[in-house]
Amino acid sequence: MQEADYAAIAQAVYAFAERDDPLAKLVKEALHVIDEAFDTWGEDRVSLSFNGGKDCTVLLHLVAGSLGRRAHSQKPLKPLAAVYIPVPSPFPQLEAFIEDAVKAYHLDLFHCPHPDGPNFPVETVATPGSVAAPVQDLPKHVKGGEGMRRALELYKDRFPHIEAILIGTRRGDPHGARLSFQNPTDPNWPRFMRVNPIINWSYADVWAYLKMFNVPYCTLYDQGYTSLGSTYNTFPNPALRVSPNHPCGRCGQPSPPNGVATSSSPVPIPAANGYPASDEKKTRQTLPDSFTLLNSDPNAMCTVDDLPSDSLPHVSTLIHIAGIPAQQCEAPPDNVLSGRLDAMGPEKPPSTCRCGTQYRPAYELMDGELERAGRAGGAAPPGPDAATVLHNSPEA
């Protein structure tokens, strides 16, 4: 990620804010809220909540513009105070992106530790399969955001002079519907003013901004993830899954380094069958060496590890893993997969390049209400047409 030029960002975003455009009005509104926060509390008493997600990445870019206009400098006069409260088991790509953003934007980022264990979740969504109990199984006196509260207590003790925190919450987020531009923290929480500059933005607005200003973002969003949390409860959005007859399109394409993606990333041109071109015509379907079969029960799955044999494993080697990790049993012999395995045969793809299930990038999700469909407990997509390519959109 290149070093952010605060002065150039300021010139670009403030000029755009004066246009007669729906997104420009939202940008102008957000800049006004940010400027007002700095005017009210001063730059030394305002912090930025930054976890590497798309929303706070937009907010970081806007804050850089606000500070760049004030300082008339390519760099902030002093590093911008920021706080990061990680969820349990964060994605490595997200952590790498955060590190790059800290360097590029000159952030003074405090990694705020939080108590581990089932009694202190950071998120308010269930985490099936994690070592921590799902939210619905917590003791009655413990709320879903207890870990967040404890982390902010540590942050307040360490930085008592911080009075306001800029947050990338939007109205469509959980608990965001009733928020305004400024909201104090709830009773029994550390005293901060929560400042929400992009509260009125939609999912589509966020991606329109990132693409328009070519703002680097985490690579996970190019892999079908639309809302990022813990690895325990975050998956590619099923609404962005590529249909089986759609070419894979990613063979031979290396992932962007350090978890950073931009709108200028190249678009691969795949072979018609999803694999590199081959002179030999293939007549049978193939499977990779290992695969995962999701059961109708979301808490169960069938898996198989790599085997030394060139042929696909027999169904009896599949292991059915129940919701309890320690409980295992062999898959029943009449499993529907048995006939499919026999029909596909042992043949392998013609190349070492094999493509599994593929997903379109996050900015191609048309229905913003499905943003959290890839999160445990999120909305389920109604059908295959829930997400389509934005052919005529400026962010496509």
Side-chain angles (χ1 to χ4, degrees):
M1 186 187 303
Q2 294 182 348
E3 184 178 27
D5 186 332
Y6 276 45
I9 293 175
Q11 183 178 3
V13 296
Y14 278 94
F16 175 75
E18 297 304 320
R19 295 184 184 179
D20 184 14
D21 179 90
L23 179 60
K25 295 179 180 178
L26 292 173
V27 170
K28 185 174 184 178
E29 177 183 81
L31 290 171
H32 174 74
V33 174
I34 296 169
D35 289 338
E36 186 178 44
F38 287 135
D39 291 339
T40 302
W41 291 283
E43 296 178 19
D44 292 338
R45 297 180 179 274
V46 177
S47 180
L48 169 70
S49 176
F50 186 72
N51 64 2
K54 61 187 182 302
D55 300 329
C56 62
T57 298
V58 165
L59 181 57
L60 172 59
H61 193 262
L62 288 166
V63 170
S66 175
L67 292 175
R69 192 185 198 191
R70 290 167 174 268
H72 304 286
S73 172
Q74 294 182 353
K75 299 180 182 180
L77 297 180
K78 60 184 303 183
L80 171 64
V83 57
Y84 168 43
I85 303 177
V87 296
S89 186
F91 284 90
Q93 298 95 321
L94 189 64
E95 296 270 273
F97 172 75
I98 291 173
E99 292 182 8
D100 281 353
V102 167
K103 297 175 183 177
Y105 286 91
H106 303 281
L107 301 182
D108 182 14
L109 183 68
F110 178 69
H111 287 68
C112 195
H114 60 80
D116 294 324
N119 290 339
F120 304 107
V122 173
E123 298 180 294
T124 56
V125 295
T127 55
S130 70
V131 294
V135 171
Q136 62 265 28
D137 295 334
L138 292 174
K140 293 182 179 180
H141 69 282
V142 176
K143 295 183 179 181
E146 181 66 12
M148 179 72 73
R149 186 180 72 83
R150 296 293 184 93
L152 287 177
E153 285 180 345
L154 293 175
Y155 187 61
K156 189 67 173 180
D157 290 341
R158 181 72 177 270
F159 303 95
H161 63 283
I162 296 296
E163 298 185 38
I165 301 180
L166 298 163
I167 304 173
T169 299
R170 293 183 287 111
R171 205 168 299 286
D173 293 335
H175 314 298
R178 298 182 179 181
L179 295 180
S180 58
F181 293 127
Q182 294 184 7
N183 298 96
T185 50
D186 296 335
N188 300 322
W189 279 63
R191 292 185 60 83
F192 292 106
M193 181 62 72
R194 295 173 293 173
V195 182
N196 310 299
I198 63 171
I199 188 66
N200 292 325
W201 291 41
S202 68
Y203 177 86
D205 296 328
V206 167
W207 282 110
Y209 183 94
L210 291 173
K211 305 299 282 187
M212 176 172 294
F213 292 100
N214 197 27
V215 181
Y217 55 84
C218 179
T219 56
L220 290 171
Y221 290 115
D222 283 341
Q223 301 172 26
Y225 292 87
T226 53
S227 177
L228 300 181
S230 169
T231 58
Y232 295 142
N233 61 19
T234 306
F235 312 93
N237 195 318
L240 291 172
R241 184 166 39 232
V242 176
S243 59
N245 59 350
H246 190 285
C248 151
R250 296 189 183 181
C251 288
Q253 295 296 327
S255 300
N258 300 327
V260 181
T262 67
S263 59
S264 60
S265 300
V267 178
I269 302 176
N273 61 357
Y275 299 109
S278 174
D279 295 334
E280 183 180 359
K281 183 178 181 180
K282 302 301 179 182
T283 59
R284 289 188 290 177
Q285 288 181 289
T286 59
L287 282 177
D289 294 333
S290 62
F291 57 89
T292 300
L293 174 68
L294 294 179
N295 195 295
S296 57
D297 179 0
N299 292 323
M301 66 179 178
C302 293
T303 64
V304 61
D305 295 327
D306 290 343
L307 297 176
S309 172
D310 289 337
S311 61
L312 286 170
H314 188 268
V315 67
S316 63
T317 65
L318 294 177
I319 300 298
H320 176 270
I321 301 178
I324 304 176
Q327 178 181 346
Q328 296 185 356
C329 58
E330 290 191 357
D334 58 344
N335 191 297
V336 67
L337 183 61
S338 180
R340 296 184 64 184
L341 289 175
D342 294 338
M344 291 179 180
E347 194 167 8
K348 287 186 175 181
S351 169
T352 57
C353 179
R354 295 190 299 268
C355 297
T357 302
Q358 300 298 316
Y359 296 85
R360 295 195 291 272
Y363 56 81
E364 294 184 3
L365 183 70
M366 286 290 289
D367 189 348
E369 293 185 359
L370 297 178
E371 175 184 356
R372 296 177 64 86
R375 301 288 292 276
D385 296 330
T388 56
V389 180
L390 304 179
H391 295 290
N392 299 319
S393 171
E395 70 216 59

